[in-house]
Amino acid sequence: MLAKQLYGTLAPEVFFVGQLVDDGIAGKEPLYIYLANRIRGVTQLDFNLTHGLPDNSQDNFAWRKTLIGDMARFFALSWKSPQLVDPSYRNRLRQTYTSELQLLLTALPVRFHAITQSCIDSVDAILSLPMVFLHQDFGVCNIMVDETTCHLVGVIDWAEAEIGPFGLNLSALESLSGKLHLRNGWSRYEYYNILQDTFWDTLKKEVGDIAEDDLRTVRLARITGLLLTYGFTSRFANDPGHVPIGGDEQGRYNMLSLDGFLINPETRFEGLN
């Protein structure tokens, strides 16, 4: 499995067992069966629930700083191992990103139009970044940490992973430096800036010199990934089409994240006008 080749012990060993086919249902795809070895440690969510300290406590700060540094080293592994893709694959990504961003441009409230258009205009630049193996569900339930130190020990659930431009899934790191409140939206921890600096400084140290233009493009890729993730009701690979968020509960939840990261002056990403 590619994840194991790239990330070593941080990814599980996966074995193909076989497939089940139901001949009684025409057109039904077979069910493929895989086994994966267990990654040691606990999920980040379980770690947080077990310790249960105040968000801005010194212990939580130390644990999160440890983890976000490890996450930078994890992402650096993908930057240093770019995947070769043919022009037709890159062109398909260009068409997909552009068409879905165009859909969001008409579906999302007007306050998101400028940043969405900026991402559309930057698709070619984003696709010039290293093409890497992207984990598509990089959340607290799939990040495995040491029970005591909170060091990263693994990442699980690679089922939806795909090759795409570096940075497209970086918005997932915001959960390490802030918190979503269902009533008030996103808020930053008191040490937000230190955590963000830790990530970017560690990433640059691990991959070597990154040009400022490339860093700006990576940040645009992060915004693009955020829009493509939170702007739709579902992102499952086998869905026939993606539907922009609406006024239901999931739409409200996703909109809180979009507003927090892209609009609210107190919590939006750095560098947004």
Side-chain angles (χ1 to χ4, degrees):
M1 182 180 178
L2 184 56
K4 186 67 176 177
Q5 296 174 19
L6 297 176
Y7 301 107
T9 59
L10 295 176
E13 190 84 48
V14 178
F15 307 93
F16 176 67
V17 176
Q19 67 183 55
L20 298 177
V21 180
D22 190 340
D23 295 330
I25 302 178
K28 185 176 181 179
E29 295 183 358
L31 175 65
Y32 296 100
I33 303 173
Y34 295 85
L35 289 178
N37 69 305
R38 185 183 184 279
I39 297 289
R40 70 178 182 89
V42 298
T43 67
Q44 184 197 347
L45 176 61
D46 285 336
F47 183 93
N48 295 342
L49 293 174
T50 297
H51 292 278
L53 296 176
D55 289 331
N56 292 308
S57 69
Q58 283 300 308
D59 283 336
N60 262 330
F61 166 58
W63 288 326
R64 289 192 172 101
K65 187 177 180 183
T66 293
L67 180 55
I68 208 165
D70 288 346
M71 297 307 300
R73 285 181 278 272
F74 175 86
F75 278 100
L77 290 174
S78 66
W79 178 281
K80 293 186 289 187
S81 301
Q83 303 300 300
L84 295 177
V85 298
D86 59 46
S88 62
Y89 181 83
R90 200 180 297 265
N91 190 51
R92 286 196 299 273
L93 289 183
R94 179 183 294 105
Q95 293 174 352
T96 298
Y97 297 160
T98 301
S99 63
E100 293 188 356
L101 288 169
Q102 289 281 7
L103 183 58
L104 293 179
L105 188 63
T106 60
L108 291 178
V110 67
R111 62 185 181 274
F112 296 104
H113 286 188
I115 188 61
T116 304
Q117 185 62 57
S118 178
C119 291
I120 293 172
D121 296 339
S122 303
V123 166
D124 284 341
I126 291 170
L127 287 170
S128 72
L129 292 168
M131 300 296 285
V132 300
F133 195 51
L134 295 169
H135 192 290
Q136 298 289 67
D137 190 11
F138 209 71
V140 294
C141 293
N142 291 329
I143 296 172
M144 304 295 293
V145 300
D146 182 90
E147 299 96 325
T148 303
T149 65
C150 203
H151 272 295
L152 178 70
V153 296
V155 178
I156 61 174
D157 193 3
W158 291 84
E160 301 296 329
E162 64 180 15
I163 294 174
F166 182 89
L168 216 64
N169 59 350
L170 281 182
S171 62
L173 295 173
E174 294 303 304
S175 64
L176 293 177
S177 50
K179 186 175 183 179
L180 178 63
H181 302 266
L182 294 181
R183 177 174 296 179
N184 301 320
W186 272 94
S187 63
R188 293 177 172 180
Y189 298 139
E190 292 176 359
Y191 39 81
Y192 173 89
N193 289 331
I194 297 176
L195 293 177
Q196 290 290 313
D197 289 345
T198 297
F199 176 81
W200 292 106
D201 290 346
T202 304
L203 179 69
K204 288 186 283 187
K205 178 181 178 181
E206 290 293 320
V207 304
D209 188 31
I210 304 179
E212 284 301 316
D213 285 347
D214 286 339
L215 282 176
R216 283 192 290 270
T217 305
V218 167
R219 289 185 168 94
L220 277 170
R222 175 178 61 168
I223 295 170
T224 298
L226 177 76
L227 286 167
L228 296 178
T229 299
Y230 289 95
F232 292 94
T233 59
S234 175
R235 299 296 301 173
F236 292 112
N238 293 328
D239 286 352
H242 301 303
V243 179
I245 56 175
D248 58 4
E249 189 64 24
Q250 182 182 353
R252 178 180 174 275
Y253 183 86
N254 286 13
M255 192 67 74
L256 286 172
S257 294
L258 291 176
D259 275 323
F261 298 143
L262 302 179
I263 303 299
N264 185 347
E266 296 182 356
T267 59
R268 67 185 182 182
F269 291 153
E270 303 295 332
L272 293 178
N273 295 324

Coordinates of all heavy atoms in Angstrom, one line a residue, residues 140-181:
V140 N -9.7 13.9 14.3 CA -9.3 13.4 15.6 C -9.5 11.9 15.8 O -8.9 11.3 16.7 CB -10.0 14.2 16.7 CG1 -9.5 15.7 16.7 CG2 -11.5 14.2 16.6
C141 N -10.4 11.4 15.0 CA -10.7 9.9 15.1 C -9.7 9.1 14.4 O -9.7 7.8 14.6 CB -12.1 9.6 14.7 SG -13.4 10.3 15.7
N142 N -9.0 9.7 13.5 CA -8.0 8.9 12.6 C -6.6 9.2 12.9 O -5.7 8.6 12.3 CB -8.3 9.2 11.2 CG -9.6 8.6 10.7 OD1 -10.1 7.6 11.3 ND2 -10.3 9.2 9.8
I143 N -6.3 10.1 13.8 CA -4.9 10.5 14.3 C -4.7 9.7 15.6 O -5.4 9.9 16.6 CB -4.8 12.0 14.5 CG1 -5.0 12.8 13.2 CG2 -3.4 12.3 15.1 CD1 -5.0 14.3 13.4
M144 N -3.6 8.8 15.5 CA -3.3 8.0 16.7 C -2.1 8.6 17.4 O -1.1 9.0 16.8 CB -3.0 6.6 16.2 CG -4.1 5.9 15.4 SD -5.6 5.6 16.4 CE -5.0 4.4 17.5
V145 N -2.2 8.7 18.7 CA -1.2 9.4 19.5 C -0.8 8.5 20.7 O -1.5 7.6 21.1 CB -1.6 10.7 20.0 CG1 -2.0 11.7 18.9 CG2 -2.8 10.6 21.0
D146 N 0.4 8.7 21.2 CA 0.9 8.0 22.4 C 0.0 8.4 23.6 O -0.3 9.6 23.7 CB 2.3 8.3 22.7 CG 2.9 7.6 23.9 OD1 3.4 6.5 23.7 OD2 2.8 8.2 25.0
E147 N -0.4 7.5 24.4 CA -1.3 7.7 25.5 C -0.7 8.7 26.5 O -1.5 9.4 27.2 CB -1.7 6.4 26.2 CG -2.4 5.4 25.4 CD -1.4 4.3 24.8 OE1 -0.2 4.8 24.5 OE2 -1.8 3.2 24.7
T148 N 0.6 8.8 26.6 CA 1.2 9.7 27.6 C 1.7 11.0 27.1 O 1.5 12.0 27.7 CB 2.3 8.9 28.3 OG1 1.8 7.7 28.9 CG2 2.9 9.7 29.5
T149 N 2.4 10.9 26.0 CA 3.1 12.1 25.5 C 2.4 12.9 24.4 O 2.8 14.0 24.1 CB 4.5 11.7 24.9 OG1 4.3 10.8 23.7 CG2 5.3 10.9 25.9
C150 N 1.4 12.2 23.8 CA 0.7 12.8 22.6 C 1.5 12.9 21.4 O 1.2 13.6 20.4 CB 0.1 14.2 23.0 SG -1.4 14.6 22.0
H151 N 2.6 12.2 21.3 CA 3.4 12.1 20.1 C 2.6 11.4 19.1 O 1.9 10.4 19.4 CB 4.7 11.5 20.3 CG 5.8 12.4 20.7 ND1 6.3 13.4 19.9 CD2 6.6 12.5 21.9 CE1 7.3 14.0 20.5 NE2 7.5 13.5 21.7
L152 N 2.7 11.8 17.8 CA 2.0 11.0 16.7 C 2.6 9.7 16.6 O 3.8 9.5 16.5 CB 2.1 11.8 15.4 CG 1.5 11.2 14.2 CD1 0.0 11.2 14.3 CD2 2.0 11.9 12.9
V153 N 1.7 8.6 16.6 CA 2.2 7.3 16.3 C 1.6 6.6 15.1 O 2.1 5.6 14.7 CB 2.0 6.4 17.6 CG1 2.7 6.9 18.8 CG2 0.5 6.3 17.9
G154 N 0.6 7.3 14.5 CA 0.0 6.7 13.3 C -1.2 7.5 12.8 O -1.7 8.3 13.5
V155 N -1.6 7.1 11.6 CA -2.8 7.7 11.0 C -3.5 6.5 10.3 O -2.9 5.7 9.6 CB -2.4 8.8 9.9 CG1 -3.7 9.3 9.3 CG2 -1.7 9.9 10.5
I156 N -4.8 6.4 10.6 CA -5.6 5.3 10.1 C -6.7 5.7 9.2 O -6.9 6.9 9.0 CB -6.2 4.5 11.3 CG1 -7.2 5.4 12.1 CG2 -5.1 3.9 12.2 CD1 -7.9 4.7 13.2
D157 N -7.3 4.8 8.6 CA -8.5 5.0 7.6 C -8.0 5.7 6.4 O -8.4 6.9 6.2 CB -9.6 5.7 8.3 CG -10.9 5.7 7.5 OD1 -10.9 5.0 6.5 OD2 -11.9 6.3 7.9
W158 N -7.3 5.0 5.5 CA -6.9 5.6 4.3 C -7.8 5.2 3.1 O -7.4 5.4 1.9 CB -5.4 5.0 4.0 CG -4.4 5.6 4.9 CD1 -4.1 5.1 6.2 CD2 -3.6 6.7 4.7 NE1 -3.1 5.8 6.8 CE2 -2.7 6.8 5.9 CE3 -3.4 7.6 3.7 CZ2 -1.8 7.8 6.0 CZ3 -2.4 8.6 3.8 CH2 -1.6 8.7 5.0
A159 N -9.0 4.8 3.4 CA -9.9 4.3 2.3 C -10.1 5.3 1.2 O -10.2 5.0 0.0 CB -11.2 3.8 2.9
E160 N -10.3 6.6 1.6 CA -10.6 7.6 0.6 C -9.4 8.4 0.1 O -9.5 9.5 -0.5 CB -11.6 8.6 1.2 CG -12.9 8.0 1.6 CD -13.7 7.4 0.5 OE1 -13.6 7.9 -0.6 OE2 -14.4 6.4 0.7
A161 N -8.2 8.0 0.5 CA -7.0 8.7 0.1 C -6.8 8.7 -1.4 O -7.2 7.8 -2.1 CB -5.7 8.0 0.7
E162 N -6.2 9.8 -1.9 CA -6.0 10.0 -3.3 C -4.8 10.9 -3.6 O -4.3 11.6 -2.7 CB -7.2 10.5 -4.0 CG -7.6 11.9 -3.6 CD -8.8 12.5 -4.3 OE1 -9.5 11.6 -4.9 OE2 -9.0 13.7 -4.3
I163 N -4.3 10.9 -4.8 CA -3.1 11.7 -5.1 C -3.7 13.1 -5.6 O -4.6 13.2 -6.4 CB -2.3 11.1 -6.2 CG1 -1.6 9.8 -5.7 CG2 -1.2 12.1 -6.7 CD1 -0.9 9.0 -6.8
G164 N -3.1 14.1 -5.0 CA -3.5 15.5 -5.3 C -2.4 16.5 -4.9 O -1.4 16.1 -4.3
P165 N -2.6 17.8 -5.1 CA -1.6 18.8 -4.8 C -1.4 18.9 -3.2 O -2.4 18.9 -2.5 CB -2.1 20.1 -5.4 CG -3.6 19.8 -5.6 CD -3.8 18.4 -5.8
F166 N -0.2 19.1 -2.9 CA 0.2 19.3 -1.4 C -0.6 20.4 -0.9 O -0.8 21.5 -1.5 CB 1.7 19.5 -1.3 CG 2.1 19.7 0.1 CD1 2.5 18.6 0.9 CD2 2.1 20.9 0.8 CE1 2.9 18.7 2.2 CE2 2.5 21.1 2.1 CZ 2.9 20.0 2.8
G167 N -1.1 20.3 0.4 CA -1.8 21.3 1.1 C -3.3 21.3 1.1 O -3.9 22.0 1.8
L168 N -3.8 20.4 0.2 CA -5.3 20.4 0.0 C -6.0 20.0 1.3 O -7.2 20.3 1.5 CB -5.6 19.5 -1.1 CG -6.8 19.9 -2.0 CD1 -6.6 21.2 -2.7 CD2 -7.2 18.8 -3.0
N169 N -5.3 19.2 2.2 CA -6.0 18.7 3.4 C -5.4 19.4 4.7 O -5.6 18.9 5.8 CB -5.9 17.2 3.5 CG -4.5 16.7 3.5 OD1 -3.5 17.4 3.2 ND2 -4.3 15.4 3.8
L170 N -4.7 20.5 4.5 CA -4.1 21.1 5.7 C -5.1 21.8 6.6 O -4.7 22.1 7.8 CB -3.0 22.2 5.2 CG -1.7 21.6 4.8 CD1 -0.7 22.8 4.4 CD2 -1.0 20.8 5.9
S171 N -6.3 22.1 6.2 CA -7.2 22.8 7.0 C -7.6 21.9 8.2 O -8.0 22.4 9.3 CB -8.5 23.1 6.3 OG -9.1 22.0 5.8
A172 N -7.3 20.6 8.1 CA -7.7 19.7 9.2 C -6.8 20.0 10.5 O -7.2 19.7 11.6 CB -7.4 18.2 8.8
L173 N -5.7 20.7 10.3 CA -4.8 21.0 11.4 C -5.4 22.0 12.3 O -5.0 22.2 13.5 CB -3.5 21.4 10.9 CG -2.6 20.4 10.2 CD1 -1.4 21.0 9.6 CD2 -2.3 19.2 11.1
E174 N -6.5 22.7 11.9 CA -7.0 23.8 12.7 C -7.6 23.2 14.0 O -7.7 23.9 15.0 CB -8.1 24.6 11.9 CG -7.6 25.4 10.8 CD -6.5 26.4 11.2 OE1 -6.8 27.2 12.1 OE2 -5.4 26.3 10.6
S175 N -8.0 22.0 14.0 CA -8.6 21.4 15.2 C -7.6 21.3 16.3 O -8.0 21.0 17.5 CB -9.2 20.0 14.9 OG -8.2 19.1 14.5
L176 N -6.3 21.4 16.0 CA -5.3 21.3 17.0 C -5.0 22.7 17.7 O -4.4 22.8 18.8 CB -3.9 20.8 16.4 CG -3.9 19.4 16.0 CD1 -2.5 19.1 15.3 CD2 -4.2 18.5 17.1
S177 N -5.5 23.7 17.0 CA -5.2 25.1 17.6 C -6.5 25.9 17.8 O -6.4 27.1 18.1 CB -4.3 25.8 16.6 OG -4.7 25.8 15.3
G178 N -7.6 25.3 17.7 CA -8.9 26.0 18.0 C -10.0 25.0 18.2 O -9.8 23.8 18.2
K179 N -11.2 25.6 18.4 CA -12.3 24.7 18.8 C -13.6 25.3 18.2 O -13.8 26.5 18.1 CB -12.4 24.7 20.3 CG -13.5 23.7 20.8 CD -13.4 23.6 22.4 CE -14.4 22.6 22.9 NZ -14.3 22.6 24.4
L180 N -14.5 24.4 17.7 CA -15.8 24.8 17.2 C -16.8 24.7 18.2 O -17.1 23.7 18.8 CB -16.1 23.9 16.0 CG -17.5 24.2 15.3 CD1 -17.5 25.6 14.7 CD2 -17.8 23.1 14.3
H181 N -17.5 25.8 18.4 CA -18.7 25.9 19.3 C -19.9 26.0 18.4 O -20.0 26.8 17.5 CB -18.6 27.2 20.2 CG -17.4 27.2 21.0 ND1 -17.3 26.7 22.3 CD2 -16.1 27.7 20.8 CE1 -16.1 26.9 22.8 NE2 -15.4 27.5 21.9

